[in-house]
Amino acid sequence: MAAPPRRRPHARCRRLPLLLVAAVLWPSLGAQAPTQSSARPRIGLVLSGGGARGAAHAGVLHVLEELRIPVDCVVGTSMGAIVGGLYAYGLSPDQLAASLTREGSPHDWADLLRDGPRREDFVFRRKEDERKFLSNVRIGVRDGELAFPKGLLVGQNLEVELHALTLEAHSLRSFDDLPLPFRCVAVDIHKGESVVLGSGSLPEAIRASMSLPGIFTPVVIGGRELVDGGLLNNVPVDVARALGVDVLIVVDIGTPLEMDKAIQDLFSVTGQMVAVLTEQNVRNSRSSLGPDDVLITPSLGDITSADFTRAAESIAIGAVAARAAVERLRRYSVPEAEYAQFLRRQRRQAQPPPRIRSVQVTSASGLGLPVLEARLEVTAGQPFDPAALRAGIDRLYGTDDLERVTFDLRNWRDGEADLALRVEEKSWGPSYMRLGVGLESSLRGESTFNISGQYNSRVLDSLGAEWRTKVQLGNNNFVDTEYYQPLEASGTWFVAPRLAAQQFAADLFQDGQRIADVDVGVVGMALDAGAQIGRWAELRFGLSQWWGDVRERFAIVPIDSGTFDDTVGRVQLQVDTLDNPRFPRYGSLGNLEWRAGLAGLGADARYQQLAFAWTQAVPVGPRTSVLPRVRLTTTLQNEAPAYIEPTIGGLLNLSGYARDAFRDQHTGLLALVGHHRLSQTSKAFGFPLYVGGSIEAGNAWSTRADFFGTFRLAGSVFLGVDTPLGPCLLGYGQAEGGERAVYFFLGQF
């Protein structure tokens, strides 16, 4: 009998084994199935410019990470380029917050927004220039023509900081090679067109994007001179869309226009100018946003584009603004596992510093390579040390002959990298003029007025020789010129020949009372040799010859007049670590000098004299300092002639008396001076305002036995303004016996 035909399984039955297998294997199949990332939209993060207000971006990023929202690319302008570039490089929001608040860093925003080191770390000669010529009005001379800087700041310290934060991104084929693709926007200042930066040096691109005209000098990249991108594209939505994103998260912290608040200084003027220029392009960018895009606008209130010290406050406000948009943002959240994968890609793992394979210095300066290398103190074969390199850059920049000193790490592989340093001389040098005035009045008929100029021709040879000439006209006329020649690459040893001529009128006093008026003329020459001791002191040995003439104009008692010859040998040690020569907060200023009249070489008198002066600035509060001062001058041998006798008297030097009211063989002064800077809002014509006072004790004595035997007591109060022409002081002084005077000073005194 034939076998019955086989029944074909029902289709549902045929699928049953497959369903059972699928059920068993579902977990593993699910792991390999398409994840949400394949379906989620590509998200672009756009961060706007806005100066210090841009710290709010870090707060927004913190919330995006709380919500597990990955971003596929970052685009920024100006401060948005800083935050966005560092995030794309691999920093976390917490690391960004620390960088913006400067928490744990030895370099605060005051340091970053300064070119080069603090004043106390400049070479001694530059500090001497400033101390002996208190005016800040300086004009460059280049190729025989007047030249001016292209911005208030070069951005030297900020650029070095950006390089230090992005050591592995100094030379990139494309910014797509970063953990997150990144672009930033700048403006070609010559063509007036927007430039999108997406390759090369990440820190240089960021620095170019934030080159606010008038504040920062432009940055040259690829032959183009670039400034702040916010001028044309402060919220670069179009740049992000060009990277192929589907959705944008846009953070706009742009500076609003100041309608009522007074425009007080350069920063506020520049901020208002940028706000005006960017308002139109920001409006266009925001109008292009679609329904799926998310716009976050932190309410930063009165925080301005210059309020870098309020970074922590701005970060918190940014987080608040992002949380206010949480319902719109949450739809772009991804599961924890997927977000963990994003963080592994975004976070940069710290690497040990590479060993320096080679050091290459590229110089666009007249200083020779041995000079540059001696100050940098960086050698191949050593581990890369960012702090040591920064100290070397500061030493080099402290010569004040350079505009820009920066570095790149290149060819980083196998634990080694090449260090490339670039040095550029000042585009508005290397010669400079300073202009100043000196006005002094006791408001009782005693007054002087002088105008002065200083011309310093620098980098005359590869060792950094310079020729400094100062000319003054008025009550005190003089010309003083010195050629300063370093003798080796470190700049330690030097020689300095000098010529000078002076003519002035002087009042002579006896026991504080004016007894004569004289005209004095002096010409002379000197030759000094010495050593720079670090950056804080200078030691000089010198021989000089002076010829003078004293002519009486008026006298109520007989005085010495006629001609004199003075051949002088001297040894002088000067110390200067003050942070500010006008109203110092901290540091020291000292002088110890021995001088002798050398009769054997033609001097009219044989004498020895020792002078000592010391001022120590001690901060006692955020804006208050006290300055103990001591000044002693004594004749050690024989008797010093009248033209070299020390004097004492005047504001802060026995206040209440006229300047140089006491003259004798020995003088001494002990004083305690204090000054307090008023709040930031208390200014005179936009300049810092100080109040201060002093307590003083001193005198002049004819013999050493009388030294400190009797004191004259005095004191003062004063109001001061730190102006570009130098300090401006209005003071009142009173001494025992009823002597009193009102003083007014402007400029050098």
Side-chain angles (χ1 to χ4, degrees):
M1 184 173 72
R6 299 184 58 184
R7 297 180 58 188
R8 300 183 59 188
H10 191 277
R12 183 178 299 174
C13 296
R14 292 200 309 268
R15 289 196 298 265
L16 182 59
L18 294 176
L19 292 174
L20 291 174
V21 171
V24 172
L25 298 179
W26 174 251
S28 59
L29 290 175
Q32 298 175 8
T35 63
Q36 187 173 346
S37 61
S38 64
R40 73 171 181 84
R42 281 179 50 81
I43 299 173
L45 177 65
V46 179
L47 305 179
S48 81
R53 294 161 62 93
H57 293 316
V60 173
L61 284 169
H62 195 279
V63 174
L64 293 182
E65 293 208 346
E66 284 181 356
L67 296 173
R68 302 194 306 276
I69 299 175
V71 296
D72 297 281
C73 63
V74 185
V75 177
T77 296
S78 196
M79 194 65 173
I82 294 180
V83 177
L86 294 178
Y87 188 67
Y89 176 75
L91 271 62
S92 70
D94 287 341
Q95 290 173 313
L96 285 169
S99 294
L100 293 167
T101 61
R102 311 309 301 157
E103 181 181 350
S105 172
H107 305 285
D108 59 15
W109 277 108
D111 284 337
L112 297 186
L113 298 176
R114 176 193 299 116
D115 286 330
R118 295 181 175 92
R119 177 189 181 271
E120 59 267 29
D121 291 324
F122 272 78
V123 295
F124 184 86
R125 192 163 176 84
R126 298 289 75 82
K127 290 185 282 189
E128 184 184 49
D129 281 343
E130 188 179 20
R131 188 180 70 252
K132 292 186 176 181
F133 203 93
L134 291 175
S135 170
N136 287 333
V137 180
R138 188 168 69 158
I139 302 170
V141 179
R142 191 172 186 88
D143 299 327
E145 298 182 353
L146 298 183
F148 299 89
K150 296 181 180 181
L152 185 65
L153 294 169
V154 174
Q156 164 68 22
N157 292 359
L158 183 58
E159 187 167 347
V160 169
E161 176 74 5
L162 290 172
H163 276 76
L165 288 171
T166 58
L167 292 177
E168 299 175 61
H170 293 171
S171 181
L172 296 175
R173 179 188 57 81
S174 170
F175 292 168
D176 291 343
D177 297 335
L178 293 166
L180 298 178
F182 172 71
R183 300 290 186 274
C184 61
V185 179
V187 171
D188 185 322
I189 192 63
H190 296 284
K191 296 183 178 179
E193 62 185 23
S194 185
V195 177
V196 178
L197 299 170
S199 63
S201 170
L202 176 63
E204 284 191 9
I206 293 172
R207 168 67 181 83
S209 181
M210 49 145 300
S211 295
L212 194 63
I215 302 298
F216 291 102
T217 59
V219 174
V220 178
I221 296 178
R224 287 183 158 189
E225 203 164 13
L226 305 179
V227 297
D228 195 299
L231 300 178
L232 294 180
N233 199 353
N234 200 46
V235 185
V237 168
D238 57 329
V239 177
R241 292 205 192 282
L243 294 177
V245 298
D246 303 308
V247 171
L248 295 178
I249 297 176
V250 178
V251 187
D252 180 13
I253 48 88
T255 305
L257 292 174
E258 295 286 1
M259 299 300 184
D260 303 314
K261 188 176 178 181
I263 306 299
Q264 297 178 335
D265 50 34
L266 176 62
F267 287 100
S268 57
V269 169
T270 304
Q272 184 78 344
M273 176 194 72
V274 172
V276 170
L277 291 174
T278 59
E279 185 178 20
Q280 184 66 40
N281 73 67
V282 168
R283 187 182 300 118
N284 292 338
S285 295
R286 291 174 62 159
S287 67
S288 71
L289 296 179
D292 294 329
D293 300 325
V294 179
L295 175 64
I296 300 172
T297 55
S299 299
L300 291 159
D302 64 346
I303 298 177
T304 71
S305 59
D307 283 335
F308 290 95
T309 57
R310 299 177 68 180
E313 187 178 346
S314 298
I315 292 169
I317 293 173
V320 169
R323 290 192 176 96
V326 68
E327 293 306 319
R328 300 197 66 201
L329 290 170
R330 197 186 300 278
R331 55 184 163 165
Y332 301 122
S333 297
V334 298
E336 290 185 9
E338 183 176 347
Y339 196 71
Q341 185 177 0
F342 163 78
L343 290 181
R344 283 193 296 272
R345 175 166 58 94
Q346 185 272 329
R347 295 289 197 267
R348 182 173 293 272
Q349 299 301 313
Q351 291 195 52
R355 184 173 298 276
I356 302 303
R357 184 186 302 113
S358 67
V359 178
Q360 179 184 4
V361 180
T362 303
S363 175
S365 164
L367 291 174
L369 283 178
V371 173
L372 304 178
E373 292 169 352
R375 295 187 182 275
L376 286 167
E377 296 182 5
V378 177
T379 57
Q382 300 296 318
F384 177 72
D385 184 341
L389 177 61
R390 174 170 275 173
I393 289 175
D394 281 349
R395 281 192 298 272
L396 185 54
Y397 205 86
T399 64
D400 197 35
D401 292 320
L402 304 171
E403 183 165 291
R404 190 166 177 251
V405 182
T406 189
F407 72 96
D408 291 330
L409 286 179
R410 299 174 180 172
N411 307 316
W412 188 337
R413 59 180 179 271
D414 302 325
E416 292 187 333
D418 299 314
L419 177 62
L421 292 124
R422 288 167 293 159
V423 177
E424 300 173 13
E425 70 179 4
K426 288 188 174 179
S427 59
W428 55 289
S431 298
Y432 308 94
M433 290 193 303
R434 284 182 184 266
L435 304 175
V437 300
L439 173 61
E440 176 182 344
S441 175
S442 65
L443 302 186
R444 59 182 182 187
E446 301 162 352
S447 62
T448 61
F449 177 74
N450 300 291
I451 58 173
S452 55
Q454 177 180 286
Y455 184 81
N456 198 338
S457 185
R458 304 234 287 264
V459 196
L460 297 177
D461 65 12
S462 62
L463 292 175
E466 58 183 79
W467 187 3
R468 180 173 66 190
T469 300
K470 182 177 178 181
V471 177
Q472 182 168 289
L473 300 174
N475 295 86
N476 184 4
N477 303 302
F478 69 79
V479 57
D480 190 324
T481 185
E482 179 187 69
Y483 189 87
Y484 181 90
Q485 178 64 64
L487 298 178
E488 35 73 52
S490 71
T492 300
W493 300 98
F494 66 89
V495 294
R498 175 184 171 219
L499 297 173
Q502 185 176 18
Q503 186 279 324
F504 61 95
D507 295 332
L508 300 184
F509 294 83
Q510 187 174 69
D511 294 326
Q513 302 300 314
R514 187 163 66 99
I515 60 170
D517 294 341
V518 296
D519 287 323
V520 182
V522 182
V523 295
M525 58 184 177
L527 177 63
D528 288 346
Q532 301 289 328
I533 305 173
R535 288 169 283 177
W536 57 274
E538 180 187 81
L539 177 65
R540 285 193 178 220
F541 304 86
L543 182 67
S544 60
Q545 176 72 60
W546 304 98
W547 299 273
D549 181 62
V550 179
R551 297 298 177 191
E552 174 189 312
R553 293 195 302 171
F554 160 79
I556 59 176
V557 299
I559 62 169
D560 293 332
S561 61
T563 62
F564 64 86
D565 291 348
D566 197 17
T567 304
V568 179
R570 73 182 182 117
V571 180
Q572 183 183 33
L573 175 66
Q574 297 182 83
V575 174
D576 186 349
T577 63
L578 293 179
D579 68 314
N580 183 325
R582 298 171 291 274
F583 295 96
R585 282 272 297 143
Y586 55 85
S588 306
L589 179 65
N591 180 71
L592 178 63
E593 182 177 12
W594 172 86
R595 53 187 294 138
L598 304 176
L601 295 178
D604 291 341
R606 184 189 303 274
Y607 64 90
Q608 290 187 32
Q609 198 175 65
L610 184 68
F612 172 73
W614 192 270
T615 298
Q616 184 69 46
V618 182
V620 295
R623 298 193 302 272
T624 305
S625 292
V626 296
L627 292 82
R629 300 176 61 208
V630 58
R631 200 183 88 193
L632 305 170
T633 304
T634 180
T635 303
L636 299 173
Q637 184 184 75
N638 300 329
E639 185 172 297
Y643 55 79
I644 202 66
E645 279 183 337
T647 63
I648 190 172
L651 183 64
L652 307 182
N653 293 283
L654 288 187
S655 303
Y657 292 102
R659 178 190 282 267
D660 303 330
F662 302 97
R663 175 191 303 267
D664 220 317
Q665 294 295 304
H666 314 276
T667 61
L669 175 74
L670 298 174
L672 184 66
V673 182
H675 59 72
H676 172 78
R677 178 174 176 174
L678 300 179
S679 67
Q680 297 288 345
T681 57
S682 299
K683 295 184 177 181
F685 307 105
F687 304 117
L689 188 63
Y690 294 81
V691 294
S694 65
I695 301 172
E696 308 146 36
N699 209 346
W701 302 276
S702 59
T703 67
R704 195 175 299 113
D706 296 330
F707 216 98
F708 289 130
T710 57
F711 282 102
R712 299 177 188 272
L713 301 179
S716 71
V717 293
F718 59 83
L719 185 67
V721 183
D722 196 359
T723 79
L725 292 175
C728 179
L729 291 182
L730 178 62
Y732 170 78
Q734 182 164 335
E736 61 177 319
E739 294 289 337
R740 59 177 63 90
V742 176
Y743 303 92
F744 176 77
F745 294 94
L746 173 62
Q748 197 77 31
F749 65 90

